[in-house]
Structures are given as structure tokens and as C-alpha cells.
Amino acid sequence: MLHYTIILTKLRGLYTTAKADAEAECSILRHALDKIAEIKSLLEERRIAAKMAGVYSDSDPPRKTMRRGVLMTLLQQSAMTLPLWIGKPGDSPPPLCGATPASSDYVAKQGDKVAARVKAVDGDEQWILAEVVSYSHSTNKYEVDDIDEEGKERHTLSRRRIIPLPQWKANPETDPEALFSKDQLVLALYPQTTCFYRALIHTPPHRPQDDYSVLFEDTSYADGYSPPLNVAQRYVVACKENKKK
């Protein structure tokens, strides 16, 4: 009996030590992630300042001189480097984590990427990937640039025409509620374009590095939807419109 008690005491001590080590490691990782976020924020501030001054780098040339393939690569990199939200036990995912919407009073910052509803040349309206230039609290309107047409016409849009993009990826293994569900209607960035289109979620991500599999509305197919296509969490947002009739 005494031998059993000694073993149990040792096991409890080992468990306590392992738990403390794991908590310390989690704390270090969270601190590292915070530092990475700070660095990315500083780099973004420098990029915006350089853009305002008309100074560009090889890694971020002006859109009007950028080859299409380069722009698509930058968009893919932005999706891949979107930070994964890691909360403490019991924490709920914050706004703009995965499918979690922004708060009602949220205002996107200068340089933020958004989905913006604009009028096309033919008069039809479409959702495009855009970058916030400014926001006026007096008019409650944004000024945004089409990410694919920098240097061309700037769009002035009301808040209801702007949808902020996710700022964190949701972890399907710990926060599945922060992801869109199967068959949910969304706006998703069509691959190799800078336009968002209506789509249904075919398969949500199963692992943190996974993309959504979506079915885009497409009348050229018998059932009205395209075959499944992958779209990163970064470029999938809620669609407030009803499903097509």
C-alpha cells in the first residue's frame, strides 16, 4: 500500500510539472504570435506610408504595373500568412476570426482588405477585393481602391457596401463554431480573380491549414453550381442576400 502511495504521489508530481511546462510553452507561443502580429502591423504601416509617398518596393509594386501572376501570388501569400487564432481554454473566438462577423460599430482601418460592392462599367454591381483608403465618420462612408486597379477610379461607399475580411483563421479542431457550415451561403473570392461571387459551402476546413471547398453559383451547369473549388478562409465572408431562386 505504501509503495502504491509513493508511485501515485510521483505521478501527481510529474503531471503537475508537465501541466506547468505546457502552460508556460503556450504562454511563450502566444507571446511570439503577438510579436509576429506587431511586426506585420508595422510592415503594413510602412507599406501604406510608402504608398502615400509614391514609393514602392520590388515586393509591392503599384498595381497598375504589376503582372497578374504577381498579384495572384501576393493574394495567396496573404491567405497563407493569416494568423491562426489560439485562445486560452474557455475563450470564444473574437470578431473577424473565421466566420465570426465584425461588431456593429467596427470601422476598417486604412490598408485593411475588404469585400466592396461597386458598380461595374456595364452598370451591374459586383463584389470586389479592395483596400481601405480612409473612412469619414461625418458621412459614414469609406474610400477604397480596387486591389486590381490601383491608380484608377477610387470608390466612395457606404458601410453597408463593405464587408471586412477575416483577420484570423479559425481552428476547426478547437473552434468549429467560428467556421461557415456546409450548405451555408457565402461570398467567396473566385480563384485567380479579385471578385467575390455567391457560393455554397461544400466542405468546411477540417484542419487549420485547410481551405473551404465551395460551389459557386454558375448557370452553365445543370444544377446551377460549379464543381467544388478551394478558397482560403481569408477570402470567404458572409452573404446577407437570399439564396438564388
Side-chain angles (χ1 to χ4, degrees), residues 1-230:
M1 183 68 179
L2 179 61
H3 179 66
Y4 173 78
T5 302
I6 293 173
I7 292 176
L8 186 60
T9 301
K10 287 183 176 180
L11 286 174
R12 284 175 177 168
L14 290 171
Y15 169 77
T16 301
T17 300
K19 183 172 180 290
D21 289 345
E23 289 174 346
E25 185 175 348
C26 286
S27 178
I28 292 171
L29 288 173
R30 289 194 184 94
H31 182 68
L33 289 171
D34 288 342
K35 287 298 181 183
I36 291 172
E38 288 178 16
I39 292 170
K40 290 183 68 176
S41 178
L42 288 172
L43 290 174
E44 182 67 7
E45 289 176 6
R46 289 184 180 180
R47 184 190 69 82
I48 293 171
K51 175 184 172 182
M52 299 298 290
V55 178
Y56 295 91
S57 66
D58 292 338
S59 62
D60 186 32
R63 304 288 183 244
K64 60 185 177 182
T65 63
M66 187 185 299
R67 295 195 307 274
R68 184 85 179 170
V70 175
L71 175 59
M72 293 300 109
T73 298
L74 290 176
L75 296 183
Q76 291 174 2
Q77 289 175 349
S78 176
M80 291 176 62
T81 57
L82 188 68
L84 178 70
W85 186 76
I86 302 175
K88 296 179 180 178
D91 285 353
S92 297
L96 296 181
C97 173
T100 310
S103 59
S104 58
D105 59 349
Y106 177 80
V107 174
K109 302 184 297 297
Q110 183 186 39
D112 281 358
K113 305 300 187 295
V114 297
R117 190 174 186 177
V118 302
K119 281 191 176 181
V121 177
D122 58 7
D124 290 338
E125 295 196 332
Q126 61 181 3
W127 287 94
I128 64 168
L129 179 60
E131 181 176 298
V132 173
V133 177
S134 64
Y135 177 77
S136 171
H137 289 277
S138 59
T139 62
N140 289 327
K141 290 186 177 182
Y142 285 97
E143 282 195 339
V144 302
D145 283 338
D146 187 334
I147 199 71
D148 198 22
E149 297 182 354
E150 187 169 308
K152 295 187 178 180
E153 182 181 1
R154 183 162 288 176
H155 303 281
T156 301
L157 304 170
S158 61
R159 291 181 63 171
R160 64 186 177 84
R161 288 178 170 268
I162 297 292
I163 302 177
L165 298 190
Q167 294 183 355
W168 296 274
K169 281 189 288 189
N171 189 341
E173 298 170 352
T174 57
D175 303 295
E177 74 281 3
L179 292 166
F180 293 109
S181 305
K182 180 177 174 60
D183 294 330
Q184 190 168 352
L185 181 66
V186 297
L187 289 173
L189 195 71
Y190 198 89
Q192 298 302 308
T193 77
T194 58
C195 291
F196 291 84
Y197 297 98
R198 289 155 55 101
L200 293 180
I201 298 296
H202 178 61
T203 306
H206 294 298
R207 299 171 300 172
Q209 67 270 31
D210 289 346
D211 294 335
Y212 284 100
S213 173
V214 305
L215 308 173
F216 285 98
E217 293 184 357
D218 191 333
T219 56
S220 65
Y221 293 91
D223 62 356
Y225 293 96
S226 71
L229 293 171
N230 288 344

